[in-house]
Amino acid sequence: MTMSMYSTTDKMKMSAPSCFPGRYSPSYRSSEQMRRCMPNPSSRLLEDASLLCNSWSARQNGDIFAGINDGILSRAEALAAVDIQKHQAQHVHSQMPSQIKHDVMYHHHTMSGPPQRPLQMHHSMDQLDMLDPTGSMTTLAPISESPLTPTHQHLHGSYHSMNHMMSHHHPGTLSGHTGGHHGHSAVHHPVITAAVAAAGLHPDTDTDPRELEAFAERFKQRRIKLGVTQADVGKALANLKLPGVGALSQSTICRFESLTLSHNNMIALKPILQAWLEEAEAQAKNKRRDPDAPSVLPAGEKKRTSIAAPEKRSLEAYFAVQPRPSGEKIAAIAEKLDLKKNVVRVWFCNQRQKQKRIVSSVTPSMTGHGSAGFGY
DNA sequence: ATGCATGAGTG
DNA sequence: ACTCATGCATA
């Protein structure tokens, strides 16, 4: 029972070291993690700060919060929501309303679409004092230098200052309260702006949620176009040889694309993935890689042969006559269709299997032909 | 795509 | 004790 658990764990431990790109900065990754990791209000503050600073929350919650208090509000909202969840979870322990599940991470995969729709939740909490730039900016700072740096956690400086405020959170009656009506994002709030400036960041560029979101979308599309899987990307990253950047798991790539990583994590990963993407496309274009740039594309790079329609028709015609052509016959067919013999041979194999599936689904009893027919 | 788990850093 | 980044295994 527990054994299985451990085996998993062990594997992880072993593989982990090789894949450590580095550590990033705090913030939440997913709703569930949030739920799990935000037991006490106080601890959330910090993250809020960063959130706010990044205008993340604004994005999350919609334009409603774009106004001045928005950042604050949204943050508060998010927190409140979280708390609610948490409490319910604790108390009820069984049912957790999935509705409140809107967490603080990127959700909509609407890349370029309407930036955001108003969340339904928001009640005004007026804790402007919580806006402590100090902590927030710290959060952001590290990342900009090097993608993956363990620099994070000193941001707790402002921790205490905001510690007290979160004590209350009302179960989310999210009716429209008051606040936001301005069109600008939280980043433009004086305080925030100052913080950002102090941190030397480019909120509008690098940390802008929309930018990240757009990038994630582009990334995915281009990756697919390259015919590379998420897992491939993860492995390929190691070949990029970027300082401190190792392989990543399919999970992480997936989460990046689906925006289910924390803001900071997204920011940290973006340049890396961007680098990979560019390299990969370059290599794909040049058909050959430099020794310095070991395949950033899937090593095997074996592509699935696709047989054109005309050839396929011919094959089907042959198949109708002789489903099991001899080696010679196959060679002849291959010759005529200008296909590799092996390709033709495999095609027939597949075709026979396919037929078997079809046949068996129609006339289960007739399945047992000779070869592999398990009539039952 | 995601639930569950681990381990590092922080205070 | 907590948060965060990440990975394995699996739905």
Side-chain angles (χ1 to χ4, degrees), chain A residues 219 223 226 228-242 245-250 253 272-273 275-277 279-280 283 293-299:
Chain A
F219 178 84
R223 170 182 66 77
L226 285 169
V228 180
T229 67
Q230 294 172 333
D232 289 333
V233 175
K235 289 179 196 167
L237 289 180
N239 299 327
L240 258 178
K241 310 265 188 209
L242 289 178
V245 179
L248 286 176
S249 67
Q250 172 265 332
I253 305 303
I272 296 169
L273 293 180
W276 170 81
L277 185 57
E279 180 61 28
Q283 287 184 12
S295 60
V296 149
L297 286 172

Side-chain angles (χ1 to χ4, degrees), chain A residues 77-126:
Chain A
E77 316 293 358
L79 291 182
V82 172
D83 272 353
I84 297 162
Q85 292 183 39
K86 191 205 139 194
H87 286 252
Q88 294 186 342
Q90 288 182 336
H91 296 193
V92 183
H93 184 53
S94 54
Q95 47 183 353
M96 161 108 87
S98 54
Q99 355 154 334
I100 327 183
K101 212 180 173 187
H102 322 293
D103 31 29
V104 198
M105 50 177 196
Y106 311 69
H107 255 329
H108 45 305
H109 304 243
T110 53
M111 46 190 262
S112 52
Q116 51 267 137
R117 39 317 198 155
L119 275 206
Q120 324 81 16
M121 32 133 75
H122 44 274
H123 33 285
S124 46
M125 316 174 71
D126 29 44

Side-chain angles (χ1 to χ4, degrees), chain A residues 12 15 19 29-30 32 219 223 229-235 237 247-262 265-266 269 273:
Chain A
M12 213 201 76
S15 58
C19 305
R29 182 192 94 205
S30 66
E32 67 168 305
F219 178 84
R223 170 182 66 77
T229 67
Q230 294 172 333
D232 289 333
V233 175
K235 289 179 196 167
L237 289 180
L248 286 176
S249 67
Q250 172 265 332
S251 303
T252 301
I253 305 303
C254 170
R255 284 169 175 146
F256 180 87
E257 291 182 351
S258 60
L259 305 159
T260 42
L261 289 173
S262 70
N265 207 171
M266 287 292 293
L269 258 27
L273 293 180

Side-chain angles (χ1 to χ4, degrees), chain A residues 32-314:
Chain A
E32 67 168 305
Q33 186 176 57
M34 263 187 79
R35 268 180 262 122
R36 290 189 293 108
C37 299
M38 309 192 89
N40 43 337
S42 53
S43 53
R44 275 184 259 101
L45 298 178
L46 208 216
E47 307 172 68
D48 285 338
S50 67
L51 233 194
L52 218 196
C53 191
N54 297 317
S55 82
W56 200 233
S57 50
R59 196 175 133 318
Q60 300 284 332
N61 295 315
D63 286 322
I64 317 185
F65 301 115
I68 295 183
N69 333 304
D70 318 349
I72 304 166
L73 287 175
S74 53
R75 180 193 61 32
E77 316 293 358
L79 291 182
V82 172
D83 272 353
I84 297 162
Q85 292 183 39
K86 191 205 139 194
H87 286 252
Q88 294 186 342
Q90 288 182 336
H91 296 193
V92 183
H93 184 53
S94 54
Q95 47 183 353
M96 161 108 87
S98 54
Q99 355 154 334
I100 327 183
K101 212 180 173 187
H102 322 293
D103 31 29
V104 198
M105 50 177 196
Y106 311 69
H107 255 329
H108 45 305
H109 304 243
T110 53
M111 46 190 262
S112 52
Q116 51 267 137
R117 39 317 198 155
L119 275 206
Q120 324 81 16
M121 32 133 75
H122 44 274
H123 33 285
S124 46
M125 316 174 71
D126 29 44
Q127 302 140 341
L128 300 173
D129 36 298
M130 63 201 295
L131 272 188
D132 187 337
T134 331
S136 11
M137 55 192 248
T138 335
T139 307
L140 301 167
I143 314 164
S144 53
E145 320 180 346
S146 59
L148 314 154
T149 21
T151 19
H152 39 307
Q153 11 227 242
H154 25 303
L155 23 115
H156 298 290
S158 57
Y159 211 49
H160 51 295
S161 54
M162 347 164 78
N163 233 349
H164 50 298
M165 47 192 265
M166 296 313 290
S167 24
H168 67 316
H169 39 277
H170 354 296
T173 351
L174 354 124
S175 42
H177 60 327
T178 58
H181 35 291
H182 302 8
H184 54 287
S185 75
V187 197
H188 296 110
H189 187 288
V191 178
I192 299 169
T193 304
V196 170
L201 296 171
H202 314 266
D204 293 336
T205 318
D206 300 321
T207 63
D208 179 22
R210 294 179 187 178
E211 167 55 26
L212 285 172
E213 184 181 8
F215 176 76
E217 184 62 36
R218 267 180 287 140
F219 178 84
K220 182 174 186 176
Q221 296 184 327
R222 290 160 75 182
R223 170 182 66 77
I224 293 173
K225 195 163 189 175
L226 285 169
V228 180
T229 67
Q230 294 172 333
D232 289 333
V233 175
K235 289 179 196 167
L237 289 180
N239 299 327
L240 258 178
K241 310 265 188 209
L242 289 178
V245 179
L248 286 176
S249 67
Q250 172 265 332
S251 303
T252 301
I253 305 303
C254 170
R255 284 169 175 146
F256 180 87
E257 291 182 351
S258 60
L259 305 159
T260 42
L261 289 173
S262 70
H263 183 204
N264 288 325
N265 207 171
M266 287 292 293
I267 292 175
L269 258 27
K270 182 190 169 189
I272 296 169
L273 293 180
Q274 186 160 33
W276 170 81
L277 185 57
E278 285 165 11
E279 180 61 28
E281 289 182 329
Q283 287 184 12
K285 193 168 187 176
N286 296 327
K287 289 288 181 190
R288 67 117 210 272
R289 301 138 209 160
D290 300 331
D292 290 355
S295 60
V296 149
L297 286 172
E301 204 174 346
K302 41 193 170 187
K303 305 158 194 172
R304 180 197 211 259
T305 17
S306 73
I307 303 173
E311 285 71 29
K312 199 168 293 183
R313 269 181 259 115
S314 297

